[in-house]
Amino acid sequence: MDYLAALNKRISRRHFTKDPLLPIQISSLQKVIDDCNEKGGLHIQMIIGRGEPFSVSKSHGMFSGVNNYIALVGPDDDPFCAEKLGYYGELIILHAVSLGLGTCWVAGTYDPELVTADIADGEIMKCCIVLGNVRQNLSARESLIIKAVKRESKEVKDMLYAEKQPPNWVVAGMRAVVKAPSSRNRQSTKFMYASDAVTARIEMKNDSDPYDLGIAKLHFEVGAGLGKGTWKFGNGGIYERRADAV
């Protein structure tokens, strides 16, 4: 899958059609979810045909037509749980976009009591992802939100400190970072290129910050070349570039 193309194409969608997901889409998404759960030690779940938590009344009119969602569930005793859910959740989103689906991160505008995911003792779910088929044209609300986000979005120079001219792969990674979704479009994650290494850090002021850190790291990894390096989880974690990466 071309996740970089999906990253550049993706916008948040909040209004969905009644068209169900195709079996091939469900199967493809489930494979990615299973892989993310195995790698991250998570319990992410896809819920199909149950949009009750996101009804117009429960979401305060922010969503309509939601019939499917991804419940981002993980172990509460993992200190990197929220960051992992952000990282792997965004990976799942890019895969969904590559399948032609619309997606949106959701934190507060839903009813958690109506979520039907299996959340065991010792597990948490503080946010989720809605997904489904969307019309080609944006709704009026979606258009307004996207315009506002574009006006407020930061540039690479606002999010990267470099002690010297960074190599092309760092610049490419940062160009993907500035397109990463974040809570209230804060884009609070800061990257540093020093001693020929890249690190990422965020001031932990809000519950959403670890998720935003994970999302930003995933975007950097995709932009820098998926498979050419990996991140260490944790605030201030380092990006480990493969020696043979070009």
Side-chain angles (χ1 to χ4, degrees):
M1 295 295 173
D2 189 348
Y3 287 164
L4 183 58
L7 183 153
N8 287 316
K9 177 182 178 181
R10 182 196 174 272
I11 54 176
S12 295
R13 301 302 302 267
R14 292 170 170 80
H15 302 283
F16 300 86
T17 70
K18 295 181 180 179
D19 300 317
L21 302 187
L22 299 174
I24 192 172
Q25 291 172 320
I26 295 173
S27 175
S28 184
L29 280 166
Q30 191 59 57
K31 288 180 180 178
V32 173
I33 291 170
D34 291 343
D35 186 56
C36 290
N37 283 335
E38 182 178 354
K39 290 179 178 177
L42 303 171
H43 192 197
I44 299 171
Q45 300 159 57
M46 179 167 52
I47 311 298
I48 302 296
R50 300 294 302 271
E52 295 88 347
F54 311 92
S55 66
V56 173
S57 61
K58 298 298 183 181
S59 68
H60 309 291
M62 289 296 294
F63 298 101
S64 66
V66 176
N67 285 305
N68 320 288
Y69 61 97
I70 306 291
L72 297 172
V73 182
D76 194 23
D77 61 356
D78 182 345
F80 306 133
C81 178
E83 182 186 339
K84 289 179 179 179
L85 290 172
Y87 177 94
Y88 288 112
E90 185 68 5
L91 180 64
I92 294 166
I93 278 181
L94 296 183
H95 191 76
V97 172
S98 75
L99 296 174
L101 301 174
T103 64
C104 187
W105 280 92
V106 189
T109 48
Y110 72 100
D111 188 340
E113 295 185 0
L114 297 180
V115 169
T116 58
D118 177 19
I119 305 174
D121 291 340
E123 292 184 332
I124 58 169
M125 192 200 89
K126 294 185 177 179
C127 61
C128 48
I129 298 162
V130 293
L131 75 162
N133 289 291
V134 292
R135 295 183 176 86
Q136 183 174 357
N137 296 327
L138 302 176
S139 69
R141 180 188 289 272
E142 288 173 328
S143 295
L144 287 173
I145 292 173
I146 289 169
K147 288 179 181 178
V149 168
K150 286 184 177 179
R151 285 198 302 269
E152 299 171 0
S153 293
K154 295 179 180 178
E155 299 178 8
V156 169
K157 63 181 178 62
D158 302 316
M159 301 183 71
L160 173 68
Y161 166 79
E163 64 177 12
K164 62 180 181 180
Q165 179 62 36
N168 291 338
W169 61 267
V170 173
V171 176
M174 290 306 302
R175 286 175 178 164
V177 167
V178 298
K179 297 180 180 180
S182 61
S183 178
R184 300 183 183 274
N185 199 37
R186 293 189 184 98
Q187 295 181 289
S188 299
T189 304
K190 303 298 183 184
F191 290 75
M192 177 179 289
Y193 175 68
S195 302
D196 295 320
V198 178
T199 55
R201 180 176 296 278
I202 192 170
E203 291 187 39
M204 294 295 181
K205 296 181 177 180
N206 305 281
D207 289 344
S208 60
D209 287 339
Y211 294 88
D212 290 348
L213 176 62
I215 293 169
K217 283 183 175 180
L218 188 278
H219 270 237
F220 182 93
E221 192 171 322
V222 172
L226 200 60
K228 295 184 178 182
T230 55
W231 283 99
K232 290 291 186 181
F233 287 111
N235 206 8
I238 189 171
Y239 175 77
E240 297 182 333
R241 183 81 168 173
R242 276 177 34 198
D244 61 345
V246 295

